[in-house]
Amino acid sequence: MARPVPLLLLESATALSGIGNGVVIVALPWLILERTGNAAIAGLIAACTAVPLLAASVFAGTLVDMVGRRRIAVLSDVLSALAVLAIPVADLTVGLSVGLLLGLAVIGAMFDPAGLTARETMLPAAAQAARWPIDRVNSVHESVWGLAYLIGPGLGGVLIARVGAVHTLWVTGVCFLLSALLVRFIAMAGVGHPPSRPANVRQAVLEGLRFVWRDRLLRTLGLLMIALIVLYLPIEGVVLPVYFQSIAAPQRLGATVMAMSAGGIAGSLLFGVFVSRVPRRATFIGGVVLSGLALLGMSFLPPFPLLLAFAALSGLAYGPVNPLANYAMQQRSPERLRGRVVGLMSSSAYAAGPAGFLLAGPLVQGIGVKPAFVMLAAAFLAIALLTTALPVLRELDRPA
């Protein structure tokens, strides 16, 4: 008998966590720019979160395999909530200096990879409980993420205009706490105590690293995703906030990020519909190349309606990419290693965005918004075109 409740709880928690992070995407850079007026400082603070993210990405999957998926998901959301809520609390009490803001941002970033990994590893069990094909679940999961990032940045832009950037972060904390509450009630096989717990953390980490590196498809997809996200997320997190702040239009910032997310939702859902009719390799290559072309169109900062159209097209084209990466991880990793494989793949890519801020902040400060945007978009497109010359991607079309 089909049991859709675990999948519903999991995706609801994913949505709340994503909304919280979506608010942070626009609120934190805006807060930093509001307090310092310096894009380079905004980029530096964001980049400083890359070090703990990178370290956390290595150990997140191991923790999931050792402690259990549900426990880590709940703990991660609770700790993320406390770190985010400390920012407005500090502002109301001791005062919010740049150093304190940096410290809290770093602490908050440390917990995200574990929660992301834990929820991702629950997807196959949730699909089995609901009696849904795994491609359909991946499609829905990525669409939920897209919906969350559609709501979150838009909500963040509206709240910044109404109550200010620092008080907007109260919403993020509440979202994380509600996500933890929902995950706590997920009951299905494979989410509690791990069936085979690694005895040694170091050996467990190395085993996961070796597995991912020796699998040619996973290694290639992992490196590609890191390279693309290094260029993509700083566009949302540095370039667009600086541009829209320069024209005093926070609502337009939210609307632009929302357009990218709306396109991503549509792209993910279309992937679930047409995955059996279109080769996976062609879908992956076509998605990243078309997304790069749309980003290049955005980079010339055309009139706002055209900018929104390019933003939506970029998201639409990129929509199938993450479901395809999820499929590769799920089909090529054994159950006992799934936490480590998902942790290394997903969380390393997740950590790549803040690392790209280290480039984007000084670049914007040094040469201006438009030239920096063009350079980032052109680099994204160049890497996307490289995928056409990678024969290993044909393994996406081979049976599991």
Side-chain angles (χ1 to χ4, degrees):
M1 182 177 66
R3 295 175 52 242
V5 172
L7 180 60
L8 178 61
L9 289 173
L10 178 61
E11 294 307 327
S12 298
T14 297
L16 285 165
S17 181
I19 289 170
N21 280 310
V23 171
V24 170
I25 282 179
V26 294
L28 191 57
W30 198 278
L31 175 61
I32 297 165
L33 290 167
E34 193 175 70
R35 299 296 173 94
T36 68
N38 191 316
I41 293 177
L44 177 62
I45 289 178
C48 286
T49 64
V51 175
L53 270 174
L54 209 50
S57 69
V58 174
F59 292 99
T62 302
L63 287 174
V64 170
D65 285 341
M66 295 183 73
V67 178
R69 296 165 184 175
R70 183 174 53 208
R71 287 181 179 178
I72 290 296
V74 171
L75 183 62
S76 172
D77 280 334
V78 170
L79 294 176
S80 292
L82 294 176
V84 170
L85 291 174
I87 295 176
V89 168
D91 190 59
L92 291 171
T93 54
V94 299
L96 192 60
S97 65
V98 172
L100 180 58
L101 182 58
L102 170 61
L104 291 173
V106 168
I107 292 171
M110 291 177 63
F111 306 119
D112 286 340
L116 173 70
T117 300
R119 288 188 294 270
E120 291 273 352
T121 56
M122 295 184 199
L123 288 176
Q128 187 174 12
R131 303 285 179 89
W132 282 21
I134 190 63
D135 281 320
R136 184 182 178 190
V137 169
N138 286 331
S139 170
V140 168
H141 182 72
E142 294 302 329
S143 298
V144 167
W145 265 118
L147 181 61
Y149 279 90
L150 173 65
I151 296 171
L155 178 62
V158 171
L159 289 173
I160 289 170
R162 290 182 177 272
V163 301
V166 69
H167 293 299
T168 296
L169 295 174
W170 290 107
V171 174
T172 296
V174 171
C175 287
F176 283 140
L177 291 174
L178 290 175
S179 174
L181 183 64
L182 291 179
V183 172
R184 177 64 184 81
F185 290 103
I186 294 176
M188 60 184 181
V191 302
H193 293 284
S196 58
R197 181 177 298 175
N200 183 285
V201 174
R202 178 178 173 274
Q203 290 179 359
V205 171
L206 291 176
E207 185 181 16
L209 285 167
R210 282 194 296 266
F211 183 88
V212 171
W213 189 255
R214 290 172 180 173
D215 189 293
R216 292 174 62 243
L217 178 60
L218 293 181
R219 182 177 71 234
T220 301
L221 287 175
L223 293 174
L224 279 174
M225 299 293 281
I226 288 171
L228 293 173
I229 292 173
V230 159
L231 299 166
Y232 182 86
L233 282 188
I235 291 173
E236 288 187 354
V238 176
V239 177
L240 291 175
V242 171
Y243 171 64
F244 285 113
Q245 191 186 54
S246 70
I247 61 173
Q251 294 90 344
R252 287 193 172 189
L253 169 62
T256 302
V257 180
M258 285 174 68
M260 298 170 85
S261 297
I265 294 170
S268 295
L269 291 175
L270 287 172
F271 166 78
V273 173
F274 294 106
V275 62
S276 61
R277 308 176 198 177
V278 183
R280 297 175 190 273
R281 175 178 176 268
T283 302
F284 184 90
I285 293 173
V288 293
V289 171
L290 184 56
S291 183
L293 289 170
L295 285 176
L296 191 60
M298 286 180 67
S299 71
F300 291 99
L301 301 176
F304 187 62
L306 186 56
L307 181 69
L308 282 180
F310 278 130
L313 178 60
S314 176
L316 178 69
Y318 200 82
V321 172
N322 286 329
L324 283 167
N326 288 347
Y327 172 83
M329 289 185 285
Q330 292 156 356
Q331 297 302 313
R332 300 176 79 91
S333 61
E335 181 71 17
R336 69 181 186 84
L337 285 174
R338 184 159 298 140
R340 279 163 279 179
V341 172
V342 173
L344 289 167
M345 294 279 291
S346 301
S347 301
S348 295
Y350 187 71
F357 295 162
L358 186 62
L359 167 68
L363 194 64
V364 170
Q365 194 73 17
I367 65 175
V369 172
K370 187 174 180 179
F373 200 167
V374 171
M375 288 181 64
L376 291 171
F380 184 102
L381 180 58
I383 293 171
L385 291 171
L386 176 66
T387 62
T388 61
L390 297 176
V392 68
L393 294 181
R394 293 192 181 97
E395 294 186 25
L396 286 170
D397 294 316
R398 292 178 182 172

